[in-house]
Amino acid sequence: MDWLKSFTALEQVYFWLGVVASVLLVLQIILMCFTAFGGDIDIDGDGEIDIDTDSGVSIFTVKSLTAFFAVGSWAGLLTSSLLADNFKWISIFVALVAGAAAWAVVVIAIRAMLKLQCNGAIQTEKLVGERATVYVSVPEQRSGRGKITLNAQGRFLELDAMTDGERISTDEAVVICECVNECVIVKRAETTSSTPPEV
């Protein structure tokens, strides 16, 4: 505690911010191991806790921001402890640069892993024209994502889906029109009537 009390106000901010961010970073790594880089965890008990982990596609994700604060805080604390009192402001610049570098590395690494996972698992560009069944209803006008299931490329697939038209309900047949990132664009499959001709 004497060591902690010897810190300046700026160094204490670095220290506590680094501790909190590091703990959150470790928790996210554990969650990533159990949810395979994205998913939902529901914990039922006295209260209900929903944890929605992001897929890492966006630049501003929980993982990248946590890495920014964790690395930036520790870099700022180390720099501040090495500088004289008149130059401790330089540690803020070092913290921002180190945090930004960690943020960029996390975003690039997660995008690379998702790209490898997508390319190694399925070839989405070859799914155009395939028929599928809606598993989770698809919201209208790309306002959200649903899910579809189909058998293709020798396996059973479950994919995120959006549509340009009206909402598509569960169990409806659809056709894949386009693949955008890790999501497919679908439309309702045309149904042909099988009315027998009159004699």
Side-chain angles (χ1 to χ4, degrees):
M1 294 302 296
D2 293 336
W3 169 73
L4 183 58
K5 289 179 181 178
S6 67
F7 285 171
T8 63
L10 180 62
E11 289 172 343
Q12 290 206 18
V13 171
Y14 285 142
F15 178 79
W16 290 114
L17 192 58
V19 168
V20 173
S22 298
V23 170
L24 291 177
L25 193 59
V26 171
L27 289 176
Q28 287 174 14
I29 292 172
I30 295 173
L31 287 176
M32 282 167 47
C33 294
F34 284 101
T35 59
F37 302 101
D40 295 327
I41 294 180
D42 298 324
I43 302 174
D44 295 324
D46 296 334
E48 184 174 335
I49 301 175
D50 296 329
I51 301 176
D52 184 15
T53 59
D54 54 74
S55 61
V57 176
S58 173
I59 294 177
F60 296 100
T61 65
V62 176
K63 300 180 190 71
S64 61
L65 291 176
T66 306
F68 172 84
F69 285 111
V71 174
S73 297
W74 293 122
L77 178 61
L78 178 62
T79 305
S80 179
S81 65
L82 297 176
L83 294 173
D85 292 341
N86 295 335
F87 298 97
K88 288 189 181 295
W89 61 269
I90 298 177
S91 66
I92 299 175
F93 176 75
V94 173
L96 291 175
V97 172
W103 175 34
V105 168
V106 170
V107 171
I108 292 171
I110 291 177
R111 286 187 172 181
M113 285 187 289
L114 289 175
K115 188 178 294 184
L116 288 174
Q117 184 183 36
C118 181
N119 290 340
I122 56 173
Q123 295 177 322
T124 53
E125 66 277 2
K126 293 185 178 180
L127 295 177
V128 176
E130 294 282 349
R131 293 174 67 93
T133 303
V134 176
Y135 176 63
V136 176
S137 60
V138 182
E140 67 280 355
Q141 301 297 328
R142 300 196 187 191
S143 59
R145 292 189 180 191
K147 287 188 180 292
I148 61 170
T149 57
L150 72 157
N151 288 306
Q153 301 178 17
R155 70 194 71 185
F156 178 80
L157 303 177
E158 181 179 309
L159 305 171
D160 290 340
M162 295 188 295
T163 183
D164 292 322
E166 298 178 351
R167 179 179 180 273
I168 305 176
S169 302
T170 304
D171 294 331
E172 286 196 56
V174 294
V175 175
I176 298 175
C177 305
E178 183 184 355
C179 296
V180 179
N181 295 329
E182 286 77 35
C183 184
V184 295
I185 310 301
V186 299
K187 66 177 182 180
R188 281 190 174 87
E190 296 180 0
T191 56
T192 57
S193 60
S194 56
T195 306
E198 297 181 359
V199 178

